[in-house]
Each structure stands twice: as structure tokens, then as C-alpha cells.
Amino acid sequence: MKAVTVIPGQKYSAHIKEVPLPEIGDSELLIKSVYCGICNTDREINEGLYGTAPKDSDYLIMGHESLGIVDKLGKDVTGISKGQYVVRSVRRSCGSCPNCLARANDMCTTGGFIESGIKELHGCMAEYFSDTPEYLITIPQELAHVGVLLEPLSVVEKTYRQAKEIQKRIVWTPKKAMIIGAGPIGLLQAMLLTEQNMEVYVVARSKSGNLKSKLVNEIGAQYVSTSCMTLDDLVSKVGKFDFVLEASGDSSMVFESMPYVANNGILCMTSITGGNKQYTIQSDKRNLEFVLGNKIMFGTVNANLLDYENGVKSMARFMKRWPDVLPSMFTRRYSLEGYEKALKTSSDDIKTVIDFN
Ligand SMILES: [Zn+2]
Ligand SMILES: [Zn+2]
């Protein structure tokens, strides 16, 4: 079968390779790929900044945002049938830390976990992939066309779940949220928070009038372009934010947004930044504001299976409430052969997918 593979650590090594069809054991399934989503993690892997090949391989099959259809079942597989749509969860247990042993692989402490298409496990940017049922989430047929968004949605679900957990320290009634970045993570988080009746502001660089601003408005949130308004101006107009999410991919924005977190508020960091950017902050001021305001700042990555399951439910609600928004997020589609174009960034892109049909 054909797969897009990289030699981890080697710059721009992505290429199509003929690789063996996965052989499935009695408790495994063979899954035919339908879509594979691409995000900046894939781009950083192709830039050699990230990624590790499986122990017995000198290459890594890319792709962690999957959607496939069950093609073949091992004889011991139950509870899932041929023709069902599935998404594969990304991270697998390290087998030894207390969190992985409690099935919270996303909170692994040893770093010995493996991740589909990222770290020591072949991914889904291939015509087929295999897995065991415990790592697969079934997607109802009516959500199959948007199901590949489940992986980014699971990250958003985890972020909000963690924020709620952390905020059990107080009586938390968040009213205002600021989301930095209008990519898939930013938009999906905006949808989840709008549903909670929060007043949501999505901040991005581009001037409004583009697809991102249109989708933000469609869900009832406000789009703020930093080309037209500074964060200072925004806050003097609407006040500080109980919930801030940084999802722009620019690490300096984490520190830029610190002054705008309300007392008792929470700042969530989700950008994976593989570079070496340095940034100077007024550390006394920022520290004092966080101390005196009982503010929290936390990082979050990946997701628990619970977040994938919650994501499927959210997806169904989103489709009902805003039928056009999720489908409109697919801005670029390429065949497997178009992987080179798919791995290039484009400023108004929201979600690029490899379409296997
Ligand atoms: Zn991703
Ligand atoms: Zn672990």
C-alpha cells in the first residue's frame, strides 16, 4: 500500500513509499483510510523538528488525525463491525506510570508513551492502518463527513474539562472568554464555550471578512483582528477574560495575553512550538498580577478516551445547531499524491485533509 513517510529528524523528508499492508492479529482490525487531517505538528515533523520512527523501522508513517472504515476484523474482535467509521486515538500507554496505568495516557509522566504518526507508532497517512478496538472511537455514519475533526476536537474537550477540574478550587461562573487563534482548535473551542453561554472573542491577525471571521460570527462569537484592534483596546472595551485559550502557534502570545486574564481566571496553553523563539516579559508585573489575582496558567496536550467520546457528542450537537460550520472548516483537500501541497501552510487555511476517495 501507499503511505506518506518521513525519516524523523531529517528536514523535508516526506515522500510516498510503498509499504507492506498491516497484518492483523486475532484481536486487531484493518481499517481503510477515508480522510487524514493535517496540522502544524505534521509540518514540524516534516521539518525534522519532531517525530520518532517505530523501534523496528527507519521511517515513520505520518498522520495522527484519522478517519477510516473498518475493512477486516480479527476473529476475536467483538462490538465493532465491518463498514463502521472509526477514529483512532493518538497516544498509547507507557505501561509503567501511575497515570497510564489508570488509563490517562494523555497525562503520562515518563514520556515513554507512543503516538500514532508522531512517536514510535506508524500513523494514518496511508491507505490502511490497523489497531485494537480499545483505541478506536466509532463515528456515527451521519457524522462521517466531519469525523476527521474528532482528534482536534478531543484536544479542545480535554482543555475545557481540565479547566473545569482546576477551577473546582473556586465557585467558577465564567462569563467571558478570549481565544487566540482562529484555526481548528480556536474555532472548536469557541463553539464549545458559546454553547456554555459565554461571551466569546476569537482573536486572530487577519482582517475580518475572511472565512474564519464568517464562521466565528456564525456561531455567535466575536471576531477581533489584531490588525485593527490591540488587545489593550479590546479589554478596555469589554473587560478581562475568565477563560483564555492560546492556540495561535505563537508562544509569545501566551505571555502577551497574561495581563488580560481576570482575577481567578485561567489561561490554557495548547500550541506546540518546536522552534527556539525567545521573548522578554515584564516579569515582576506579570507575576504580581497572577499572585494577587489567584490566576492559573496551564499547558494541555492530547486527550483522554473520555474526551474523544465527549467530542463525538459535541460534534452531533454542533452539527444540529450550526450545520454549515464544521463542513466549512475543510478548506483544502488533496489526494495522497498531493501530500506536498497539503504539508505547505496557507494563511486562510483552516483544515487541510488527505482525501482517500
Ligand atoms: Zn493535529
Ligand atoms: Zn505513562
Side-chain angles (χ1 to χ4, degrees):
M1 65 166 186
K2 282 190 206 133
V4 177
T5 65
V6 285
I7 299 167
Q10 199 171 307
K11 218 172 178 179
Y12 306 125
S13 64
H15 64 287
I16 292 192
K17 193 177 166 82
E18 190 62 37
V19 299
L21 191 73
E23 273 175 40
I24 57 162
D26 292 344
S27 56
E28 290 180 304
L29 301 94
L30 183 70
I31 299 139
K32 190 177 189 309
S33 290
V34 178
Y35 293 120
C36 180
I38 288 182
C39 74
N40 281 332
T41 301
D42 300 298
R43 297 185 176 111
E44 292 201 341
I45 290 172
N46 188 34
E47 282 163 25
L49 296 170
Y50 217 67
T52 320
K55 290 214 164 77
D56 55 355
S57 167
D58 52 5
Y59 64 87
L60 170 73
I61 300 178
M62 298 181 77
H64 59 277
E65 300 182 7
S66 62
L67 177 81
I69 190 161
V70 176
D71 190 64
K72 221 185 243 171
L73 295 93
K75 69 173 175 50
D76 297 340
V77 175
T78 54
I80 193 163
S81 46
K82 192 177 158 146
Q84 266 189 309
Y85 287 98
V86 288
V87 164
R88 176 191 216 194
S89 66
V90 176
R91 192 180 281 190
R92 309 298 150 91
S93 166
C94 74
S96 62
C97 85
N99 290 294
C100 284
L101 295 177
R103 296 178 61 82
N105 307 340
D106 58 314
M107 302 302 265
C108 180
T109 52
T110 62
F113 56 81
I114 58 172
E115 288 180 331
S116 167
I118 302 173
K119 186 173 181 282
E120 295 170 44
L121 180 65
H122 285 313
C124 310
M125 217 179 285
E127 290 175 291
Y128 291 86
F129 59 94
S130 65
D131 219 324
T132 51
E134 62 178 314
Y135 292 119
L136 298 170
I137 299 93
T138 52
I139 303 289
Q141 174 121 29
E142 65 275 16
L143 295 175
H145 63 306
V146 291
V148 71
L149 292 171
L150 183 60
E151 195 280 330
L153 182 52
S154 72
V155 170
V156 161
E157 293 281 352
K158 175 180 172 179
T159 304
Y160 186 52
R161 183 174 59 81
Q162 295 277 303
K164 282 190 294 190
E165 281 295 323
I166 295 167
Q167 293 294 51
K168 282 184 181 159
R169 67 191 179 124
I170 49 164
V171 179
W172 197 44
T173 50
K175 295 197 169 56
K176 233 172 278 170
M178 173 165 74
I179 290 167
I180 302 172
I185 298 286
L187 290 171
L188 293 167
Q189 192 81 73
M191 293 169 94
L192 204 61
L193 300 184
T194 305
E195 273 193 329
Q196 304 299 317
N197 295 319
M198 278 190 230
E199 201 178 304
V200 180
Y201 296 83
V202 179
V203 175
R205 223 170 288 148
S206 331
K207 287 195 176 146
S208 78
N210 55 18
L211 177 64
K212 290 175 182 173
S213 69
K214 195 185 140 246
L215 296 180
V216 168
N217 294 333
E218 206 163 315
I219 62 171
Q222 315 269 340
Y223 183 87
V224 178
S225 162
T226 49
S227 321
C228 305
M229 190 188 242
T230 64
L231 293 184
D232 267 338
D233 290 343
L234 174 66
V235 170
S236 59
K237 227 175 107 185
V238 306
K240 293 191 179 186
F241 302 96
D242 307 301
F243 180 103
V244 175
L245 176 88
E246 199 294 308
S248 68
D250 178 350
S251 56
S252 64
M253 287 312 294
V254 169
F255 305 98
E256 289 272 333
S257 60
M258 283 176 80
Y260 311 116
V261 180
N263 286 349
N264 291 356
I266 193 159
L267 166 57
C268 325
M269 299 180 278
T270 63
S271 293
I272 308 274
T273 50
N276 283 307
K277 186 169 183 168
Q278 298 213 11
Y279 181 75
T280 307
I281 64 164
Q282 289 177 288
S283 55
D284 276 347
K285 279 206 164 134
R286 297 298 87 87
N287 176 66
L288 189 68
E289 290 156 359
F290 263 64
V291 170
L292 299 183
N294 288 302
K295 304 178 190 186
I296 295 258
M297 185 168 163
F298 80 105
T300 174
V301 70
N302 216 271
N304 192 281
L305 279 173
L306 172 71
D307 303 307
Y308 283 88
E309 282 155 18
N310 289 338
V312 176
K313 292 178 200 152
S314 297
M315 206 173 248
R317 293 194 313 273
F318 294 171
M319 285 304 291
K320 214 170 185 180
R321 183 162 171 184
W322 305 291
D324 302 330
V325 174
L326 295 182
S328 304
M329 283 169 61
F330 296 94
T331 38
R332 299 192 302 160
R333 286 170 200 270
Y334 296 100
S335 66
L336 194 67
E337 286 72 20
Y339 73 92
E340 266 178 303
K341 282 185 188 149
L343 286 169
K344 285 203 176 98
T345 40
S346 136
S347 66
D348 25 297
D349 183 35
I350 300 176
K351 179 51 70 190
T352 297
V353 289
I354 300 286
D355 183 342
F356 289 86
N357 295 314

